[in-house]
Amino acid sequence: MLTAGPAGLVLLTELNTERPPQRCSGNRLTSRTLTGERTVDLSRIERVRLLTYFSRSGVSERVLLVRDAYGVSLGLTSPASHRALRRALGHLPRRGPRPRASRAALAHLGMLPAPGRLVVHTAVVWLVTVLGLCGYVCAVLALAT
């Protein structure tokens, strides 16, 4: 039980992260994931978030999690996918609903001139991760006694 919680969280976040090769045709970005091929419609983006993962040496990976109007989520890691997303966010129509994009995701894409935004994001995510793991271990130990 001690390893099931953290392992489940890592597995859930890895399920929709892209694997090479990626294909971008028009407004659609297609990539393989652990659960099969996923295609995100870049013209109908609903949400963009930045996920940060840590290892012993610091930040190990940053993933841009994109969700479109059809409910398809895809974690973007490659520079080509980031360029396609940046281009899609820059060419959205003025009318209609705008996608919800976190400031950290926009700063990671280079679309927001906020140099300290990624530092704040990284510090907050690290703190939440450490406190969450400490709370999880304390809960497991409390249940074990």
Side-chain angles (χ1 to χ4, degrees):
M1 181 169 174
L2 184 61
T3 59
L9 287 174
V10 169
L11 182 62
L12 283 175
T13 55
E14 280 294 315
L15 286 178
N16 58 357
T17 301
E18 70 180 352
R19 306 277 185 248
Q22 303 87 7
R23 292 186 313 268
C24 188
S25 61
N27 289 331
R28 302 196 187 282
L29 180 65
T30 303
S31 184
R32 291 184 332 181
T33 66
L34 289 177
T35 58
E37 269 196 0
R38 290 181 183 234
T39 301
V40 173
D41 187 354
L42 295 176
S43 66
R44 309 252 342 243
I45 298 172
E46 279 190 350
R47 186 176 65 204
V48 180
R49 295 183 316 161
L50 180 65
L51 301 176
T52 302
Y53 300 109
F54 297 99
S55 65
R56 289 184 186 180
S57 61
V59 174
S60 64
E61 186 177 24
R62 294 190 192 271
V63 177
L64 286 166
L65 188 62
V66 179
R67 183 179 175 145
D68 66 7
Y70 303 108
V72 178
S73 293
L74 183 61
L76 306 180
T77 57
S78 70
S81 300
H82 290 179
R83 282 191 302 272
L85 178 61
R86 189 179 313 117
R87 193 171 35 251
L89 288 173
H91 290 66
L92 287 174
R94 302 251 183 234
R95 295 187 195 142
R98 302 284 299 170
R100 293 182 309 176
S102 70
R103 289 186 176 124
L106 293 175
H108 183 67
L109 284 170
M111 298 179 72
L112 188 67
R117 181 63 62 188
L118 283 178
V119 173
V120 171
H121 167 78
T122 304
V124 168
V125 169
W126 182 82
L127 188 62
V128 167
T129 301
V130 168
L131 291 177
L133 286 174
C134 289
Y136 179 76
V137 170
C138 288
V140 168
L141 291 176
L143 290 173
T145 57

